[in-house]
Amino acid sequence: MDGDRFDIPEIDAFTRPYWDAAAEGRLLLRRCGACGRAHHYPREFCPYCWSEDVTWETASGLATLYTWSVVHRNDLPPFAERTPYVAAVVDLDEGPRMMTEVVDGVEGELQVGMGLAVAFREGVPIFCPRGGSRTAVRASMG
């Protein structure tokens, strides 16, 4: 199908609060009421203690870079137009680890442990170096 995009998630009833918040420029996590641990990606149960006593909470939006890879080729739309881009794993200040993209940084300046802050592109959370321009578009997803 022409026009398919592989960077926009499929939203369902459970994840709608997450994506609605992202469209507003807020990053949400799930926190367990039983063990107190936060987790990401959103699940209906705690992946640590299996409790179903989990609620949404707004994250600080701050993270540190855990690892990254520079992608030079990706033929899926719209990634081809974005290459090269930085696919990354970050440690959110609240504890969970998250897969994302790092923008507004020069590849050679990235280093493990550097501070990052959330930004949003078309309602999808991405990260940029703390103190960076955070110019990513905060547009809504359909």
Side-chain angles (χ1 to χ4, degrees):
M1 282 189 268
D2 215 20
D4 282 347
R5 290 188 53 185
F6 294 89
D7 65 330
I8 303 296
E10 289 187 32
I11 299 171
D12 60 26
F14 171 71
T15 61
R16 177 144 312 270
Y18 177 86
W19 297 114
D20 286 350
E24 297 169 359
R26 294 182 301 118
L27 179 63
L28 293 184
L29 298 173
R30 300 283 281 173
R31 184 165 303 272
C32 179
C35 73
R37 294 179 71 176
H39 62 270
H40 184 81
Y41 62 91
R43 287 166 265 203
E44 295 185 54
F45 60 90
C46 176
Y48 303 107
C49 73
W50 301 98
S51 171
E52 292 181 9
D53 179 19
V54 290
T55 57
W56 294 106
E57 85 175 34
T58 301
S60 68
L62 300 177
T64 55
L65 185 59
Y66 177 75
T67 190
W68 75 94
S69 180
V70 179
V71 179
H72 293 278
R73 182 180 173 132
N74 185 337
D75 296 330
L76 297 174
F79 297 107
E81 295 82 33
R82 294 182 189 161
T83 57
Y85 64 88
V86 178
V89 177
V90 301
D91 288 327
L92 300 175
D93 278 10
E94 292 79 9
R97 196 164 272 168
M98 176 179 178
M99 293 181 63
T100 188
E101 182 180 347
V102 174
V103 299
D104 292 346
V106 178
E107 294 171 24
E109 295 177 7
L110 296 175
Q111 56 185 342
V112 170
M114 75 182 294
L116 303 170
V118 74
F120 295 85
R121 180 177 50 224
E122 296 184 66
V124 175
I126 55 177
F127 284 79
C128 57
R130 288 187 201 177
S133 66
R134 296 181 76 169
T135 58
V137 177
R138 292 180 183 261
S140 176
M141 294 185 322

